[in-house]
Amino acid sequence: MSKVLEKVMDAVDLETFLVCDSEEEAKKLAVQMMKELGFNDVSTVFVQHLGPGARVRVRGYIYKPGARYNWLFNKKD
Amino acid sequence: MTSQKKKVLLAPLDPVHDIGLKMIKRGLDLAGHDTILLPPDYTPEEIVKAAIDNNVDVILISRTLGYRVAEILGSFIDLAEAAGLRERVKIGIGGMAIKPELAAELGFDAGFGPGTTVEEAVAFVEGRRYVKEDKGARKTKKDLTEKHDYAFKNKKIEKLLNAIADEIIEYAKGKTTPGIERAKIREKMFEASDEAELRQLRKEYAAFCDDLVKVYYEKGALKEKTRQLTSEELNALKSYLEKTKSKMKPSLLQHTETNPVVFIQYGTGCPFMDIAHIKTCEAWGADGVVHFDPSWGARTEGFYEGFITHEEDGSVITYENLKLIKDALMPSTLWQVRAHRGLNTPETVFLAGKVGADLTKINIAYGSLGGGTDPERLAVDAVAAIKYAARFKLPFDVVTNEELCGVPAHKAFAGMLIVAMLGLKLGARPILQPLFCYSPEVMISGQMEDNYVDFNAAKILALKSIVNAPIWCGAPIGFLTQTEDRVQSSLSTALHAALASSLEVDGISIASADEAYSGGPISAAARVDTLRATQSAFRFFGHTKILPTEKAEVWARKIVEGIEQTLESVVQNGSFVDSLYKGLLGSREEGAYPGRAGRGTVKNI
């Protein structure tokens, strides 16, 4: 995990508009995008496809409850 | 006026925008300064000439458009320099296009970006250091019950409630349960004088627990996905909290004195993540926080001990966990520990009182019709729990979530009012908590086909016509109207908050923008979304009222009639507990099923 991502309290949400043909395609693309960005624990929060594409919000969890949160340990760098 | 009178030139170096300068001019005029406001679209040369001609002390320039901003402002400051103004005139620049760094780079004396207050600009003119008012620092802990005397306006309902509550108290006399016994033992544990006594008490406590908890007291074993927090983690939390507390400058959500206090609900499973979310919500203005325990905890006899985290929804109740959270809160934050639906109701209220919670939650009707606990068990437990609430001076809300099962509002309200009256008789201070949402009842019968306003308004009008008691809309407001879209979700929450405020309720519980998302834990960012939306709604409406249609009054009357009929049927039946089994306060057909957890555990002493 990058040092910057360690500072994320719990999750990174990525919101964008994907040019695609269906909601299913949007879901696949959104998850693939997050995986390519290096997120492992990925979940689609919101997807709505209309006309030219889909509004999506996809989430990459950095920490889930019960994990060891690195931001808690006050590392400076 | 405390400072020397100044002559100020206000000039929009912009084709059209000058609203900000007009506001500042008003502030300066009120402070006793002389002001000259130039119209928009003057050139830098014309502004410099006006400054010289009027022999001003201060020039305030504004610029809204970002286009060529650095070039135009640079040209202005060069001209001012060349005209000899820089030595004797203070020049400030402000507006949407301005960043303080740019102003400093170009040689202005001050730069005021978006969000600058009139007071800030006046302070610059007067040469004073501006101290921003910290509204959050004025936050004080609110008492939701203080304005209410519990006087009944509907005497018929009062009489019926009196009869039912007396019957419940009589029913519970001479009865005990494992939950009541554990609460008594837990209290003795706090008073234990040595380790040997504590060991013995733990043994006695374990005898009243389910196997899941018993093995903890026998072997130290916890259920799966659950673990004790390490001392390294606890030390890190201490440092994190010290640092975070020192940085807290909480926002204020309320815009008027009639806006309700705003609660958020937490229960991530981990007390550390809970604390991180709580501090985030406090910073963004939440007035109160509600502790959600795990659903398995409500159906398990007994509590663990220690600092425990687990990887499922709901945060485990132990004294140590609660203490961690209590110590993390701001002094103004209201804190509720729920005890309303499970097998640990008396001990939960005892622990909440012992650790210093402000509120708890108890409801026999919901807990036994929608929460899975046997009606007889919960009735006996609730009487003991309410006594603890009275002893620790903990107001408790009476939630009506059985509506979410499909129970009509009038029946849920009848159950709520019975428990509220029981609370009053036992010396506690109940708070009515109607659902303020899109409940199954109205989905089926259509009262919200046109709008979400009328039926929610009807509920509040009905309750207010019955008794002068505090009302805390829950939980969360707007439930089942929110979608996974965070914008829609936040807006829907904010509109419900505005409606609740318009109806002058005392409190509301709001969800995060993740309310309808079920794919994982909710995020801190999603909590900020709805807090900001609620703040905007309060700002937007101020003292303005939302006007329901005439249907609200009609439905309010019907709800009151329904409550009267339901209470009459309970009185005629003769036993409150039996009425729960029989479905008088919500039937199987309506989606209410008497719970089975703890059945057969009530014992006569």
Side-chain angles (χ1 to χ4, degrees), chain B residues 201-363:
Chain B
L201 286 168
R202 285 201 178 104
K203 204 178 277 183
E204 288 174 26
Y205 183 92
F208 289 104
C209 294
D210 283 343
D211 289 344
L212 189 74
V213 178
K214 211 174 270 179
V215 292
Y216 167 77
Y217 287 96
E218 288 168 357
K219 301 173 189 170
L222 297 170
K223 79 185 281 287
E224 62 172 359
K225 292 186 176 178
T226 304
R227 68 174 175 90
Q228 296 276 0
L229 291 159
T230 65
S231 55
E232 185 205 12
E233 286 172 317
L234 290 164
N235 286 332
L237 177 72
K238 202 175 161 192
S239 308
Y240 169 79
L241 267 176
E242 276 172 15
K243 198 171 123 191
T244 304
K245 282 181 178 178
S246 70
K247 293 186 292 187
M248 289 294 281
K249 286 188 177 173
S251 181
L252 198 64
L253 296 181
Q254 289 77 12
H255 181 63
T256 73
E257 71 290 348
T258 54
N259 291 143
V261 301
V262 178
F263 290 83
I264 62 97
Q265 306 164 328
Y266 69 85
T268 63
C270 174
F272 287 9
M273 188 60 91
D274 286 341
I275 287 169
H277 278 208
I278 287 168
K279 299 314 288 179
T280 303
C281 291
E282 283 181 332
W284 264 266
D287 307 296
V289 297
V290 178
H291 185 98
F292 268 46
D293 52 319
S295 53
W296 60 264
R299 294 188 181 206
T300 304
E301 300 267 19
F303 283 144
Y304 292 135
E305 291 180 350
F307 301 103
I308 295 173
T309 182
H310 84 138
E311 297 166 23
E312 291 170 353
D313 279 353
S315 296
V316 177
I317 292 181
T318 66
Y319 177 78
E320 292 77 7
N321 273 4
L322 293 179
K323 185 81 170 58
L324 265 188
I325 291 162
K326 165 71 182 168
D327 291 346
L329 299 173
M330 293 196 315
S332 61
T333 300
L334 286 162
W335 182 40
Q336 181 184 53
V337 180
R338 310 185 314 165
H340 59 312
R341 71 198 198 289
L343 297 173
N344 299 298
T345 294
E347 190 180 351
T348 303
V349 180
F350 170 74
L351 287 175
K354 190 76 186 167
V355 79
D358 302 291
L359 298 150
T360 185
K361 183 188 284 280
I362 305 166
N363 189 0

Side-chain angles (χ1 to χ4, degrees), chain B residues 149-163 410 413-414 417-418 421 424 432 459-469 555-568:
Chain B
D149 61 5
Y150 298 97
F152 275 82
K153 299 169 197 168
N154 186 318
K155 297 295 175 189
K156 182 180 177 184
I157 286 180
E158 181 181 23
K159 192 177 169 193
L160 291 164
L161 291 173
N162 265 318
H410 66 268
F413 282 12
L417 289 165
I418 290 169
M421 179 58 96
L424 291 173
L432 306 179
K459 288 179 175 181
I460 306 304
L461 295 173
L463 292 174
K464 288 195 170 194
S465 76
I466 294 169
V467 59
N468 176 24
W555 288 336
R557 282 196 294 277
K558 279 192 178 169
I559 290 171
V560 174
E561 285 166 19
I563 293 169
E564 288 172 357
Q565 285 162 11
T566 304
L567 295 175
E568 278 169 350

